Amino acid sequence: MGTESPWRRAGRRPQRVRGLLSLATAGVFVCCVGAAGLGAWNYQHVRQSSGAARESAEAFLRDVVAGDPDGAYDRLCADTRQRWSRDDFVRRLAVPPTITRYDIEDVQVASDQEGQLRGTVVATLTRRSGAVDRREMPMVKDGDRWRVCGDPF
């Protein structure tokens, strides 16, 4: 009876190790769910912003086509308004080839490194002469409004 059995029962993990392993698994799960939620929120935010950027670009181009230079000028960002006086802008709109039609092809919105939303609206502009011009209009979010920034023509 002094012989040992040839097999041994495997030792059980202590309760503490199982508790820590469960806690670590729960922590990883919470981080994954949080990252997925943050990603979904960011996607929705950018998607909604692209619609607002498109609407602002359309409003700017509507004012240009309708011959409302004051309305169009008010839709420019502060940086562009510093480079173009209201009078210069009005004169530029009056000079042929004036824009008679537009079609927005694409809108892209992204956050820059400072977290500010910026966008680019690609539009096809039809001139009174019949010439068709494809333009990229830079857009910036200014408070709760999108504004055309840069040379819109």
Side-chain angles (χ1 to χ4, degrees):
M1 299 280 168
T3 63
E4 289 187 33
S5 66
W7 54 274
R8 291 187 103 179
R9 184 172 175 196
R12 293 181 57 149
R13 289 185 179 159
Q15 289 282 4
R16 183 178 176 139
V17 172
R18 279 192 293 185
L20 289 175
L21 188 59
S22 297
L23 187 62
T25 302
V28 168
F29 177 75
V30 167
C31 287
C32 290
V33 168
L38 185 60
W41 177 83
N42 192 31
Y43 172 76
Q44 286 288 51
H45 184 65
V46 167
R47 189 170 148 227
Q48 289 170 353
S49 294
S50 67
R54 178 188 194 98
E55 290 170 9
S56 292
E58 282 183 359
F60 173 80
L61 291 170
R62 257 193 320 269
D63 288 342
V64 169
V65 169
D68 180 11
D70 289 324
Y73 187 81
D74 291 339
R75 297 180 192 282
L76 296 175
C77 72
D79 193 37
T80 301
R81 282 183 285 185
Q82 285 178 346
R83 286 183 282 145
W84 290 71
S85 71
R86 187 176 293 270
D87 291 336
D88 289 341
F89 186 78
V90 169
R91 268 187 246 121
R92 174 62 179 97
L93 281 182
V95 173
T98 55
I99 299 169
T100 58
R101 276 189 53 215
Y102 65 90
D103 182 39
I104 294 183
E105 296 177 9
D106 189 28
V107 179
Q108 296 176 357
V109 173
S111 296
D112 64 9
Q113 291 178 343
E114 290 85 37
Q116 182 178 4
L117 287 175
R118 295 189 176 274
T120 303
V121 174
V122 179
T124 302
L125 308 177
T126 304
R127 311 279 179 173
R128 181 170 286 145
S129 64
V132 177
D133 186 17
R134 188 170 187 262
R135 277 297 201 176
E136 289 187 3
M137 297 184 339
M139 306 287 290
V140 294
K141 181 113 186 229
D142 181 20
D144 62 342
R145 294 182 65 188
W146 280 92
R147 298 190 177 273
V148 175
C149 212
D151 182 11
F153 307 108

